[in-house]
Amino acid sequence: MEIRYAKSHEWAAKEGDLYICGLSEYAQEKVGDIVFVELPETGAEVEQGAPFGVIESVKAANDLYAPLNGEVAEVNEGLEDEPELVNSSALKDGWICKIKSDDDSFSALMSEEEYKEFLKGQDE
Amino acid sequence: MSYIPHTESDRLKMLEQIGLETVEELFQDIPESCRYPELNIPDGLPEMVVKKRLKDLSDRNQSSDDALWFLGGGLYRHFVPSVVDAVLSRGEFFTAYTPYQPEVSQGTLQALFEFQTMIAELYGMEVVNASHYDGAAAMAEAALMALRCKSGRKEIVLDEGIHPEYIEVMETYLAGSDALMRKGRPDDNSACFITANPAFTGEIRDLKALAEECHGVGALFIVHADPLACGLLESPGVCGADIVTGEGQPLGIPMSYGGPSLGLFATTKKLIRKMPGRVVGRTMDAGGRAGCVLTFSAREQHIRREKATSNICSNQGLMALAAAVYMAAMGKQGIRETARLIYDKTAYASLTLGQLEGFSVDQGSSCFREFILSCPSPAADIADALQKKGIFPGLALSRFEASEYRSAYRENDLLVCVTEMNSKDEIDRLAKALTAAAKGNM
C-alpha cells in the first residue's frame, strides 16, 4: 500500500475506492499524549491543506489539515473513546478518516522517501 | 526581598551609563513649565480630621442597610454569613493572582474546584468552569459557544425576560460576527435558544417544555438560572439544559455599588471541549497525593491564542471563593430554606401590593424574588418620591427603552424585589408608603 505524506504531517493511502488518512508517526511523537481528536463530519467537503479537525494533546491543541481534496466518507469513531490510538498506532488503528478523492491530489503529496528527507530539515 | 527598586547610588550609576549627571538633565526635553509644576494641593491634615471628614462624606450615602429596600433588577440584597468575609480577607486568598502554577496555588485551586463542584450540584450539570466576570459575560460566552457547537447555524434566539442590559452585552460580544440575534421561538436555523429562570421580571419558566421545543429543532438550550432559585426549583440540568449560566452575586457577594460580581457557567461533559474559560480538575501526583490543576487548558487563550475558545483571560477567583464559602456555610438545607423564604415572601408581597387601590399585579404564574407592580402613575415618579424618605420601592422599568429583542415595558411598571432580608413588617410598611405616594401624600 503506497503511503504519501503532507508537509503538515498527515498521511494518506489508497484503500479500495477511498483514501485513508491519519497523522504521521513523527507528528504524534511531537505533540505528545493525545487526549482528544475532533473528527471532521462525514459528508464534509475538504480541501487539501485546509484545517478539517483538531488534535488535542496534553500540551496544546493543533489543527489537522486535510491531506487531500474530496469528501469525508467515514471517520474513525473509535478515537472518540480512545484518542491515544493515534499515539500507539498512528499508521493503522489510529487512522482519522477516509476521504473520497482523486488521484491528482494524492500524487501531489510527498512519497515516503521525500517525507523522510523533509523531516531531516525539521529538527535542525 | 526589598521593595525599594533602586538606591541613590543605583540612580547615579544609571545616569553615568547614559552620560548624564542629574535627573533634571534626563528630563530636559520636556518643556520647563511642565517639568515640575506647582500642584494646587492643600496642606496635610491631622488623621483625626481626615477621618471625621471622610465619615461625614460617607454618611451622606444611602445604604441598603438603613433603607427600606426593595430594589433588585440584577444585583440583590441577600444575607451574607460573617464567615464569608473572614475567609475572603485572608492574605493568601485576597492577594493571590491568577492560579496558573499549581505548585504554589493549591489553596486557590482547591477552592475553585469546590466552587465548581457545588455549582454543578445546584445546576444539575456535569461541568462548571472557574467563573466569568459576571452573569452577562457568561451568557454572551454561552451564545458564542453555541455558535461553535452548531456550525452552519447563525441564530441566537432570545426568550422574553432576558435582562435588557445582558442583551446589550451580547450585542457587543456579537458585533463583527455574522451571528444574528432575534427574539421569538427557535427553529432549524437556530444555534441556541436562551431563557432566564426566573425571568428578569421574576416569572418562573417551564424549563422542560422549553428544552423539548429547543431539542426538537436541534438547537442548544441555554438557561440563565438564578443559583438561589435552584435551591427550590428543579435544576436546569434535570430539565434538559445544554448550557447553564448565572449571576453568582446572590451567593455571598455584597452589592458593592454594582460590582464585582460573578459569572457562573456550566455545561455537559459532551460539550466540555467547546466550553470557554478555565476548569480546575483534581488529580494525583507521582506520589499518589491528591492535587488540583488547571485542566482542559489546551485551547486556553495563553496557549493557543488564535484558536482559543474564548478571549476571556481571567476569572473571578475571589468572588468564586466567596460563593464557595457561602454555599458551604449555608449548606443544602440553608440554601433551600433561603429560596423558600424568598419565594413565600415574594408571594406575600405581590398579593399585598396587588390589592392596593390603583395598583395591580398581572403576572399569572408564580414569581421568584421579583414581580411587576403596575402603579397608578409613572413608576419613576413614585420611586423618586419614596427614595427621598429612604424607601426604595423597586426599579422603574421605564429606565429600559424598548428594543427589537423584547417587548416594551409600561411607564407605570415597577419591578419590586423581595428577598429573605425583607420582613413582613417591611412589606406592610412599603404597602402604606405606596398608598400614600399614589395619593400624592409623600
Side-chain angles (χ1 to χ4, degrees), chain A residues 35-36 38 54 56-57 60-63, chain B residues 151 273-274 296-299 303-304 307:
Chain A
V35 291
F36 181 68
E38 190 181 303
V54 177
E56 191 173 314
S57 71
N62 289 285
D63 279 330
Chain B
S151 55
R273 284 170 202 278
K274 306 277 186 188
F296 290 101
S297 51
R299 292 160 201 242
I303 295 179
R304 203 159 180 260
K307 291 281 176 185

Side-chain angles (χ1 to χ4, degrees), chain B residues 89-354:
Chain B
S89 327
R90 287 189 64 103
E92 303 93 313
F93 287 124
F94 204 72
T95 61
Y97 191 51
T98 38
Y100 288 145
Q101 302 85 10
E103 54 278 46
V104 293
S105 302
Q106 275 303 301
T108 301
L109 288 167
Q110 193 186 338
L112 289 173
F113 180 78
E114 305 290 351
F115 160 79
Q116 292 170 184
T117 307
M118 287 186 276
I119 295 291
E121 279 194 30
L122 261 181
Y123 277 169
M125 298 298 282
E126 290 169 314
V127 207
V128 171
N129 73 17
S131 77
H132 290 275
Y133 291 126
D134 56 25
M139 187 189 280
E141 287 285 349
L144 293 183
M145 174 168 153
L147 293 169
R148 282 194 297 277
C149 292
K150 298 278 174 188
S151 55
R153 294 186 177 210
K154 298 282 171 220
E155 260 181 25
I156 310 287
V157 185
L158 306 179
D159 196 3
E160 286 285 333
I162 307 272
H163 196 304
E165 285 162 350
Y166 282 34
I167 295 175
E168 285 180 35
V169 171
M170 271 201 285
E171 282 179 301
T172 307
Y173 260 75
L174 296 174
S177 80
D178 56 355
L180 184 87
M181 220 159 62
R182 68 165 174 90
K183 71 170 179 182
R185 315 309 305 169
D187 58 32
D188 53 16
N189 294 315
S190 315
C192 66
F193 174 73
I194 309 180
T195 192
N197 196 44
F200 170 60
T201 44
E203 296 101 344
I204 297 168
R205 293 268 184 258
D206 180 356
L207 295 183
K208 276 190 174 147
L210 292 173
E212 225 164 89
E213 185 184 347
C214 251
H215 294 151
V217 294
L220 288 188
F221 182 41
I222 301 177
V223 182
H224 186 79
D226 182 281
L228 273 185
C230 289
L232 186 66
L233 309 173
E234 204 154 23
S235 72
V238 167
C239 297
D242 299 295
I243 304 174
V244 184
T245 61
E247 171 52 64
Q249 182 269 330
L251 304 175
I253 300 169
M255 293 185 285
S256 311
Y257 305 95
S261 55
L262 169 68
L264 309 175
F265 196 107
T267 188
T268 57
K269 232 181 201 167
K270 197 179 137 209
L271 299 179
I272 191 168
R273 284 170 202 278
K274 306 277 186 188
M275 183 167 76
R278 37 189 56 90
V279 181
V280 179
R282 221 164 96 112
T283 184
M284 295 287 175
D285 71 4
R289 289 163 300 207
C292 291
V293 289
L294 289 185
T295 182
F296 290 101
S297 51
R299 292 160 201 242
E300 275 249 39
Q301 195 252 2
H302 65 281
I303 295 179
R304 203 159 180 260
R305 194 159 300 206
E306 78 286 5
K307 291 281 176 185
T309 45
S310 158
N311 289 313
I312 284 280
C313 53
S314 268
N315 61 294
Q316 288 284 54
L318 197 64
M319 296 302 107
L321 173 69
V325 178
Y326 174 89
M327 288 185 282
M330 300 293 279
K332 215 179 207 174
Q333 191 63 21
I335 290 177
R336 183 176 297 147
E337 279 169 18
T338 303
R340 184 81 227 182
L341 272 174
I342 296 169
Y343 181 79
D344 290 347
K345 288 179 177 208
T346 310
Y348 176 74
S350 71
L351 263 176
T352 308
L353 304 183

Side-chain angles (χ1 to χ4, degrees), chain A residues 8-11 21-24 27 31 34 36-40 46-56 61-67 79 86 94-97, chain B residues 304 307:
Chain A
S8 47
H9 307 288
E10 290 82 9
W11 58 264
C21 313
L23 193 69
S24 76
V31 297
I34 291 165
F36 181 68
V37 183
E38 190 181 303
L39 298 164
V46 296
E47 191 190 326
Q48 194 165 39
F52 79 144
V54 177
I55 284 266
E56 191 173 314
N62 289 285
D63 279 330
L64 278 168
Y65 298 92
L79 296 181
V86 179
W95 63 277
I96 307 275
C97 67
Chain B
R304 203 159 180 260
K307 291 281 176 185

Side-chain angles (χ1 to χ4, degrees), chain B residues 383-395:
Chain B
D384 282 349
L386 291 184
Q387 276 168 25
K388 294 196 180 92
K389 307 263 173 191
I391 301 169
F392 290 75
L395 184 67

